[in-house]
Amino acid sequence: MYITQVNTSWPTPRKWLLPVVKFLVLLLVLWFVRKTLQEGWEELQQGHWRLRWGWLVLSGGVYLFGLLGPALFWYQVLHRLGQKPHLAESLRAYYISHLGKYVPGKAMVILLRAGLIFGQRVQLAMAAVSTFIETLTMMAVGAFLALAILLAQFREHPWLMLSALGLMVVSGLPTLPWVVRFILGWLRWPQNGRTIQEAVGQYRLSTMLLGWVYMAFCWAVLGLSLGCCLQGMGVQAHGDHPNQWALWTATVALAVVAGFVSLVPGGLMVREAVLLSLLAPQVGKAAALASAVLLRLVWLVAELAISAILYGSYWYGRIGRTSSEETSFSKE
């Protein structure tokens, strides 16, 4: 006769604290996302636009496709730093973390991404360091492309060119390999006898240049997303500029980078100011302002959709694995 002892003790704080913290973080993110959606929709309804939903859906899909470049670069940086994440979990953490930018400050993006990726194969510190490298590389390339396009085709905006130059320097310098090693030189985080500085020593110029290729692709595609959004509003450009795609790319890149540096949640009002300056001569002030609001909503809805899909598939797969393990155990 066997007597099974039932453990009736309460779970230790360590077991329930992390799920509670994750749940509270999720509520905080959803609160600010809801606020952004509500404010943007109310502002958009003040105008009279006949929206073409097919073009808007395409704009959101193009936006998510463009983000694949930075996501793959982040995955490459993690491996360069000695981490071993799976591609699927890297993509999941990257896309979901974008919702954190709607929370005041920029720390929530890092917390979400690092929290979703760290585990046996990825250290928390390395996840945070790689996030800084990826994000600042994206901002530096965006500012560079905006500056190059403005110099080539839109020299009537000298203050925007100076802003792009400053943003490129501020965000680009910290991504240089020797600067990264210098900044992190005082940190120590053992990993099989290695320190953070030794791991970061594997991040070299070749990896940084690869990131510039990924990011150039990203910004070009995000510019196309803006073009689809304008089509979704039924807006036709009336300016005499042969390369509208270049204008869209410069506009999106400079708007996003300026919004990021401003530390305003989601770059609110900062993005609008840049889009108004560059798009107004081509589509009119009303359409330029409305496109800024609509583009924000399209991107946010796209981020919510991909986050729900990725997070839902993760938990579905986890529940499936648990059920199969329990079935296998009961058979034994």
Side-chain angles (χ1 to χ4, degrees):
M1 179 177 176
Y2 296 94
I3 299 176
T4 303
Q5 183 178 0
V6 179
N7 185 9
T8 58
S9 59
W10 290 97
T12 60
R14 187 176 180 181
K15 291 183 178 180
W16 58 260
L17 183 59
L18 184 59
V20 169
V21 171
K22 289 184 176 180
F23 180 71
L24 293 177
V25 169
L26 177 62
L27 289 181
L28 181 64
V29 171
L30 291 178
W31 169 260
F32 283 101
V33 166
R34 180 204 62 81
K35 183 179 179 181
T36 301
L37 278 172
Q38 182 179 357
E39 292 176 351
W41 183 252
E42 290 175 354
E43 187 173 352
L44 188 64
Q45 285 182 319
Q46 295 177 4
H48 301 282
W49 305 99
R50 290 187 176 180
L51 302 181
R52 303 175 182 176
W53 296 103
W55 279 103
L56 297 181
V57 171
L58 180 61
S59 176
V62 169
Y63 167 66
L64 295 178
F65 178 67
L67 291 183
L68 190 60
L72 291 176
F73 175 60
W74 182 53
Y75 174 73
Q76 294 285 343
V77 172
L78 281 169
H79 277 269
R80 178 60 66 181
L81 298 182
Q83 311 305 291
K84 303 297 180 183
H86 294 154
L87 179 59
E89 61 187 5
S90 298
L91 293 176
R92 176 175 61 90
Y94 179 81
Y95 277 101
I96 294 176
S97 68
H98 271 267
L99 295 177
K101 65 177 177 250
Y102 300 100
V103 180
K106 301 299 179 181
M108 188 57 68
V109 174
I110 301 172
L111 291 176
L112 282 175
R113 194 182 302 185
L116 288 167
I117 196 68
F118 93 95
Q120 295 181 350
R121 294 183 302 274
V122 179
Q123 280 189 326
L124 186 61
M126 293 301 180
V129 170
S130 60
T131 299
F132 275 109
I133 293 175
E134 176 273 324
T135 302
L136 292 178
T137 301
M138 183 177 182
M139 298 302 113
V141 176
F144 171 79
L145 287 178
L147 176 61
I149 293 172
L150 290 175
L151 283 172
Q153 298 188 20
F154 306 97
R155 296 183 182 179
E156 63 272 19
H157 300 286
W159 71 274
L160 288 180
M161 289 188 287
L162 289 175
S163 299
L165 177 61
L167 292 171
M168 181 184 69
V169 173
V170 169
S171 56
L173 281 178
T175 65
L176 296 174
W178 67 269
V179 176
V180 173
R181 291 193 291 270
F182 175 79
I183 294 175
L184 299 175
W186 59 275
L187 290 176
R188 296 293 182 270
W189 192 285
Q191 181 196 12
N192 298 327
R194 298 188 351 167
T195 64
I196 278 188
Q197 188 177 12
E198 291 171 342
V200 172
Q202 301 302 313
Y203 173 71
R204 297 170 182 169
L205 185 62
S206 59
T207 307
M208 187 193 77
L209 294 178
L210 177 64
W212 276 65
V213 175
Y214 277 125
M215 299 308 177
F217 162 81
C218 167
W219 288 117
V221 176
L222 295 193
L224 188 60
S225 177
L226 173 59
C228 293
C229 184
L230 291 172
Q231 288 291 331
M233 297 173 57
V235 173
Q236 297 293 331
H238 52 72
D240 186 19
H241 293 285
N243 195 346
Q244 289 295 323
W245 193 351
L247 172 64
W248 299 334
T249 301
T251 301
V252 168
L254 189 55
V256 172
V257 175
F260 171 81
V261 175
S262 70
L263 297 181
V264 177
L268 188 63
M269 298 307 298
V270 178
R271 291 187 183 182
E272 282 76 359
V274 175
L275 265 73
L276 189 61
S277 298
L278 288 175
L279 284 184
Q282 280 70 46
V283 301
K285 291 184 178 180
L289 185 58
S291 68
V293 177
L294 184 58
L295 187 66
R296 179 187 305 278
L297 292 177
V298 168
W299 286 7
L300 177 52
V301 171
E303 290 162 353
L304 284 171
I306 194 65
S307 297
I309 293 172
L310 293 176
Y311 203 67
S313 62
Y314 165 74
W315 280 107
Y316 179 79
R318 187 171 180 176
I319 293 172
R321 288 193 301 269
T322 303
S323 301
S324 62
E325 290 174 359
E326 291 178 351
T327 303
S328 176
F329 179 77
S330 62
K331 289 181 179 180
E332 294 177 359

